[in-house]
Amino acid sequence: MEKIRIALTLYEQLLITSVTLPIEMLRAGEAYAKRHNKAHFQALEIHCLSESGSPVKANIGMTMDVQSDFGALEGYDYIIVPSIWRNPRPVVKRNPLLAKNIDSARKQGATIIGVGTGVCFLAESGVLNGHSATTHWHYANQFMKSYPNVDLKPDYFITQSDRLYTVASLNALADVIVHLIGQFYGKDAANHVQQNFSHEIRKPYEEQRYLEGAVDRYSDEQIAAIQFWLKNNASSVESLAAVAQQFNMSYRSFNRRFKMATGKTAIAYLQEVRLQQACELLASSNLSIQEIALTVGFNSQSQLSRAFKEQMNQTPSSYRKIVRKKLFS
């Protein structure tokens, strides 16, 4: 079976955690999948590349080995372009092969993830022209001046345009890596990695990103209003048919339009909201699991436990132990 090939691009002034964090998370997902899903396991081949193919010495004094130069990028399935300390423009100028080969790699089908100011390399290559992107907030104004053909979304931590991802922070990078692990190895592996690397309750990847091309799908203002209402009233919803009636819609039309606008059923969305609220209470309160279940809108502790097990592959009590240990130890 072919390996999933992942390249990380190295250069002077890189933020070293935007290299080490994704590698460690990816390896954790790979190890989990190897233990629990051998029948569909696919190994990862993770390499570091540089402009000349020579090792790169980071600002903190650590020298990082590389396996090849940027000319090899076309042979990789995924490319992670790390963030840059301080002004990125001199670094971009000193690494001209990276921008050139990002464009070539994308044309060969690679998925590219730009991190923070490393997104400048994607913009320099031209692959972001006409597409959405984000970057570190401190450099947003300069980015807009330097790359006017890129549709910058500074209020978003994540953007996705087909096989182009950009993230504004390390936390957002971690969320994208969890998302990719879910694509590689499934929901259980993604949950495992998220629980072991994230020290707080995080929103799902799908709720944080700006997804290019989805604007028309989400243009149903009435459904958007219903989503907002459900988030704030999830615990009191007894019947989605009653919600549809409240918004002067037939239940059939409500379901059809909700699925068309969001890509999921209303009942699945409502359960996601309730589970997210349950996760927050499990981490931050001393309420019993029964009390949490009733507080967020489940009929019983057993109903919450079934939903939790299905979505998170663990019980609410085990989740509470893991998260509270990380939060308060």
Side-chain angles (χ1 to χ4, degrees), residues 158-203:
I158 301 169
T159 70
Q160 181 187 348
S161 174
D162 190 21
R163 290 176 286 103
L164 295 171
Y165 294 78
T166 67
V167 302
S169 68
L170 280 176
N171 279 339
L173 173 61
D175 292 330
V176 169
I177 297 300
V178 168
H179 169 69
L180 293 178
I181 290 170
Q183 292 184 334
F184 298 162
Y185 300 125
K187 181 175 63 180
D188 291 347
N191 285 338
H192 170 78
V193 172
Q194 184 176 41
Q195 290 158 20
N196 281 277
F197 280 84
S198 181
H199 295 280
E200 67 276 350
I201 307 302
R202 303 193 59 78
K203 292 181 180 179

XYZ file of all heavy atoms in Angstrom, residues 158-203:
366
model
N -9.163 29.906 10.026
C -8.929 28.863 9.032
C -9.696 29.219 7.761
O -10.843 29.665 7.831
C -9.430 27.484 9.519
C -8.730 27.067 10.809
C -9.229 26.414 8.436
C -9.363 25.850 11.482
N -9.068 29.048 6.612
C -9.800 29.094 5.349
C -9.471 27.829 4.562
O -8.372 27.271 4.677
C -9.447 30.320 4.479
O -8.105 30.186 3.966
C -9.584 31.615 5.264
N -10.435 27.403 3.771
C -10.209 26.258 2.895
C -10.783 26.567 1.528
O -11.941 26.965 1.403
C -10.870 24.987 3.452
C -10.627 23.767 2.557
C -11.421 22.549 2.996
O -11.999 22.527 4.093
N -11.471 21.537 2.146
N -9.969 26.392 0.526
C -10.397 26.544 -0.852
C -9.905 25.313 -1.606
O -8.733 25.236 -1.981
C -9.815 27.817 -1.470
O -10.122 27.888 -2.850
N -10.792 24.333 -1.727
C -10.418 23.072 -2.359
C -9.226 22.461 -1.629
O -9.319 22.128 -0.455
C -10.124 23.300 -3.848
C -9.973 21.998 -4.634
O -10.461 20.966 -4.158
O -9.362 22.026 -5.724
N -8.056 22.364 -2.266
C -6.873 21.744 -1.639
C -5.910 22.788 -1.074
O -4.736 22.495 -0.853
C -6.161 20.860 -2.661
C -6.942 19.595 -3.025
C -6.266 18.779 -4.127
N -6.423 19.407 -5.431
C -5.494 20.087 -6.076
N -4.302 20.228 -5.533
N -5.724 20.625 -7.242
N -6.403 23.985 -0.818
C -5.597 25.045 -0.220
C -6.158 25.383 1.159
O -7.320 25.786 1.282
C -5.621 26.296 -1.098
C -4.976 26.197 -2.486
C -5.291 27.454 -3.281
C -3.469 26.001 -2.364
N -5.338 25.223 2.179
C -5.720 25.591 3.538
C -4.787 26.703 4.012
O -3.580 26.647 3.770
C -5.557 24.415 4.503
C -6.468 23.234 4.280
C -6.217 22.307 3.277
C -7.573 23.020 5.105
C -7.033 21.209 3.087
C -8.400 21.916 4.936
C -8.126 21.009 3.922
O -8.935 19.915 3.744
N -5.347 27.672 4.695
C -4.497 28.644 5.388
C -4.997 28.774 6.825
O -6.202 28.692 7.076
C -4.512 30.034 4.703
O -5.810 30.629 4.823
C -4.132 29.918 3.236
N -4.059 28.952 7.749
C -4.420 29.072 9.166
C -3.683 30.248 9.769
O -2.570 30.589 9.361
C -4.106 27.775 9.951
C -4.833 26.593 9.345
C -2.607 27.500 10.001
N -4.309 30.886 10.769
C -3.749 32.100 11.342
C -2.922 31.862 12.596
O -2.198 32.755 13.032
C -4.881 33.089 11.662
N -3.017 30.665 13.183
C -2.353 30.429 14.467
C -1.997 28.961 14.618
O -2.447 28.103 13.850
C -3.285 30.834 15.614
O -4.397 29.945 15.678
N -1.209 28.668 15.653
C -0.847 27.278 15.929
C -2.060 26.457 16.340
O -2.183 25.285 15.970
C 0.208 27.218 17.030
C 1.653 27.505 16.611
C 2.558 27.502 17.829
C 2.140 26.482 15.587
N -2.959 27.041 17.125
C -4.166 26.319 17.513
C -4.985 25.941 16.289
O -5.533 24.836 16.207
C -5.020 27.164 18.468
C -4.515 27.107 19.893
O -3.807 26.183 20.270
N -4.865 28.108 20.680
N -5.090 26.879 15.342
C -5.836 26.594 14.117
C -5.125 25.518 13.297
O -5.781 24.664 12.682
C -5.998 27.876 13.298
N -3.794 25.530 13.282
C -3.048 24.470 12.604
C -3.369 23.117 13.221
O -3.595 22.127 12.504
C -1.544 24.745 12.680
C -0.629 23.635 12.155
C -0.882 23.354 10.680
C 0.837 23.988 12.392
N -3.402 23.060 14.556
C -3.727 21.803 15.231
C -5.113 21.310 14.823
O -5.327 20.103 14.616
C -3.654 21.994 16.746
N -6.070 22.234 14.674
C -7.422 21.839 14.274
C -7.435 21.272 12.854
O -8.157 20.317 12.563
C -8.362 23.040 14.373
C -8.584 23.487 15.815
O -8.518 22.620 16.707
O -8.799 24.684 16.046
N -6.645 21.866 11.964
C -6.570 21.345 10.598
C -5.908 19.970 10.581
O -6.339 19.066 9.857
C -5.812 22.329 9.673
C -5.500 21.678 8.324
C -6.644 23.590 9.461
N -4.867 19.789 11.388
C -4.196 18.490 11.437
C -5.150 17.409 11.958
O -5.195 16.291 11.427
C -2.923 18.545 12.305
C -1.901 19.522 11.692
C -2.304 17.165 12.451
C -1.446 19.174 10.290
N -5.943 17.739 12.974
C -6.949 16.793 13.467
C -7.939 16.458 12.348
O -8.328 15.298 12.166
C -7.686 17.369 14.694
C -8.925 16.538 15.033
C -6.750 17.405 15.902
N -8.346 17.471 11.611
C -9.250 17.275 10.470
C -8.629 16.318 9.439
O -9.306 15.398 8.942
C -9.548 18.632 9.837
C -10.253 18.581 8.526
N -11.565 18.174 8.378
C -9.818 18.890 7.278
C -11.905 18.230 7.113
N -10.865 18.663 6.416
N -7.357 16.502 9.127
C -6.685 15.634 8.158
C -6.538 14.212 8.691
O -6.711 13.235 7.947
C -5.313 16.211 7.796
C -5.317 17.541 7.026
C -3.892 18.001 6.780
C -6.079 17.415 5.721
N -6.226 14.080 9.970
C -6.126 12.745 10.567
C -7.456 12.024 10.457
O -7.503 10.810 10.188
C -5.661 12.847 12.036
C -4.186 13.282 12.085
C -5.839 11.511 12.772
C -3.701 13.654 13.469
N -8.554 12.764 10.640
C -9.871 12.171 10.449
C -10.066 11.678 9.032
O -10.675 10.617 8.806
N -9.540 12.412 8.051
C -9.641 11.976 6.654
C -8.762 10.753 6.398
O -9.154 9.843 5.660
C -9.238 13.118 5.720
C -10.213 14.285 5.718
C -9.833 15.344 4.700
O -8.662 15.499 4.333
N -10.819 16.087 4.220
N -7.578 10.739 6.995
C -6.656 9.618 6.784
C -7.137 8.347 7.483
O -7.129 7.261 6.902
C -5.259 9.950 7.331
C -4.567 11.116 6.694
C -3.492 11.728 7.335
C -4.963 11.616 5.458
C -2.833 12.802 6.769
C -4.311 12.690 4.876
C -3.245 13.288 5.542
N -7.511 8.501 8.756
C -7.680 7.331 9.623
C -9.040 7.221 10.311
O -9.262 6.265 11.061
C -6.591 7.344 10.699
C -5.190 7.295 10.145
C -4.252 8.269 10.487
C -4.785 6.283 9.278
C -2.956 8.226 9.993
C -3.491 6.238 8.771
C -2.583 7.213 9.135
O -1.301 7.165 8.634
N -9.928 8.202 10.105
C -11.253 8.101 10.687
C -11.435 8.909 11.963
O -10.486 9.449 12.539
N -12.689 8.976 12.385
C -13.091 9.823 13.510
C -12.427 9.420 14.819
O -12.042 10.278 15.619
C -14.615 9.746 13.645
C -15.204 10.581 14.761
C -16.730 10.529 14.725
C -17.233 9.111 14.954
N -18.701 9.037 14.925
N -12.288 8.115 15.071
C -11.714 7.675 16.346
C -10.273 8.144 16.504
O -9.870 8.597 17.582
C -11.779 6.145 16.458
C -13.205 5.641 16.611
O -14.107 6.476 16.872
O -13.424 4.429 16.479
N -9.492 8.028 15.438
C -8.100 8.477 15.495
C -8.028 9.984 15.698
O -7.208 10.481 16.472
C -7.369 8.077 14.213
N -8.905 10.722 15.016
C -8.918 12.177 15.156
C -9.279 12.582 16.585
O -8.640 13.466 17.172
C -9.908 12.789 14.164
N -10.294 11.933 17.166
C -10.679 12.231 18.547
C -9.541 11.926 19.515
O -9.283 12.677 20.461
C -11.921 11.427 18.939
C -13.185 11.984 18.326
O -13.251 13.142 17.952
N -14.206 11.151 18.217
N -8.862 10.795 19.280
C -7.752 10.403 20.150
C -6.655 11.473 20.150
O -6.164 11.869 21.212
C -7.185 9.062 19.670
C -5.909 8.662 20.334
N -5.859 8.125 21.593
C -4.612 8.747 19.911
C -4.601 7.886 21.915
N -3.820 8.255 20.914
N -6.289 11.941 18.973
C -5.225 12.942 18.876
C -5.680 14.261 19.489
O -4.924 14.900 20.235
C -4.800 13.140 17.410
C -3.834 14.315 17.276
C -4.152 11.867 16.870
N -6.893 14.670 19.200
C -7.383 15.938 19.743
C -7.388 15.931 21.270
O -6.975 16.902 21.912
C -8.792 16.219 19.223
C -9.331 17.571 19.664
C -10.681 17.855 19.059
O -11.537 16.983 18.972
N -10.887 19.089 18.628
N -7.831 14.841 21.858
C -7.908 14.762 23.317
C -6.533 14.762 23.968
O -6.370 15.229 25.092
C -8.682 13.510 23.727
C -10.169 13.591 23.410
C -10.816 12.227 23.322
O -10.281 11.246 23.847
N -11.950 12.150 22.667
N -5.532 14.261 23.261
C -4.202 14.181 23.845
C -3.341 15.410 23.581
O -2.335 15.615 24.276
C -3.485 12.924 23.332
C -3.945 11.673 24.040
O -3.472 11.351 25.122
N -4.902 10.958 23.443
N -3.719 16.224 22.599
C -2.900 17.391 22.279
C -3.571 18.718 22.612
O -2.892 19.730 22.710
C -2.532 17.393 20.784
C -1.386 16.480 20.460
C -1.592 15.130 20.228
C -0.082 16.968 20.390
C -0.539 14.280 19.938
C 0.972 16.126 20.089
C 0.749 14.777 19.868
N -4.883 18.726 22.773
C -5.574 19.976 23.027
C -5.892 20.099 24.502
O -6.456 19.192 25.104
C -6.870 20.046 22.210
O -7.524 21.264 22.430
N -5.572 21.244 25.086
C -5.769 21.453 26.513
C -7.048 22.213 26.824
O -7.263 22.638 27.936
C -4.574 22.218 27.094
C -3.310 21.427 27.018
N -2.990 20.444 27.917
C -2.316 21.444 26.105
C -1.817 19.906 27.583
N -1.403 20.493 26.494
N -7.884 22.396 25.823
C -9.149 23.061 26.080
C -10.203 22.483 25.154
O -9.903 21.771 24.212
C -9.047 24.580 25.859
C -8.827 24.994 24.421
C -7.381 24.954 24.000
O -6.501 24.786 24.870
O -7.128 25.069 22.800
N -11.467 22.790 25.469
C -12.549 22.351 24.599
C -12.524 23.228 23.354
O -12.575 24.452 23.439
C -13.911 22.492 25.303
C -13.885 21.778 26.646
C -15.019 21.956 24.426
C -13.555 20.314 26.562
N -12.450 22.609 22.194
C -12.352 23.372 20.966
C -13.566 23.145 20.087
O -14.186 22.095 20.115
C -11.081 22.990 20.204
C -9.818 23.194 21.027
C -8.574 23.127 20.168
N -8.596 24.126 19.122
C -8.325 25.410 19.336
N -8.038 25.835 20.535
N -8.359 26.272 18.347
N -13.893 24.157 19.292
C -14.989 24.010 18.354
C -14.569 23.067 17.234
O -13.397 23.006 16.862
C -15.357 25.375 17.753
C -15.978 26.336 18.741
C -16.330 27.632 18.043
C -16.954 28.622 19.008
N -17.292 29.897 18.340
